[in-house]
Amino acid sequence: PAYCKDDMPDACYNDIPKKDLAEVRKIGSLVGKKGLAILVKSGAPAVPRPPRAQESLKLILKSVDPKFAADESLIEKFMAWKKS
């Protein structure tokens, strides 16, 4: 439903049904956890999260609302969520 076509040339992320988004999020989370487990078992060294990731997050939040980019607790929550 969320792809560009003649009768819907401006399709976007918000056009994806919530049920589909929830399913994709669940599958993505499962794949991520399984992938992480494989890396841990292989003994691959942990790659530290570059500080750039946090700066990128701040830029994204700032584009939505500047007060979000200044909210350190919100940024910490997003970074923790990203790690989970």
Side-chain angles (χ1 to χ4, degrees):
Y3 59 93
C4 295
K5 52 187 177 179
D6 290 337
D7 63 332
M8 204 172 169
D10 297 323
C12 66
Y13 178 83
N14 294 329
D15 296 331
I16 301 172
K18 291 187 187 296
K19 180 181 176 186
D20 291 346
L21 287 175
E23 186 67 20
V24 167
R25 188 175 294 122
K26 187 169 76 173
I27 292 169
S29 179
L30 178 64
V31 169
K33 287 177 184 176
K34 294 293 184 180
L36 180 59
I38 290 169
L39 289 174
V40 168
K41 283 182 183 178
S42 74
V47 178
R49 181 179 305 274
R52 186 170 176 193
Q54 191 167 0
E55 291 304 314
S56 296
L57 176 60
K58 285 183 180 181
L59 288 173
I60 293 168
L61 291 173
K62 186 177 180 181
S63 72
V64 174
D65 189 333
K67 69 180 176 186
F68 291 150
D71 187 344
E72 290 298 322
S73 66
L74 177 64
I75 292 169
E76 287 177 22
K77 288 178 185 176
F78 271 120
M79 297 303 284
W81 171 77
K82 184 73 173 160
K83 290 177 186 176
S84 66

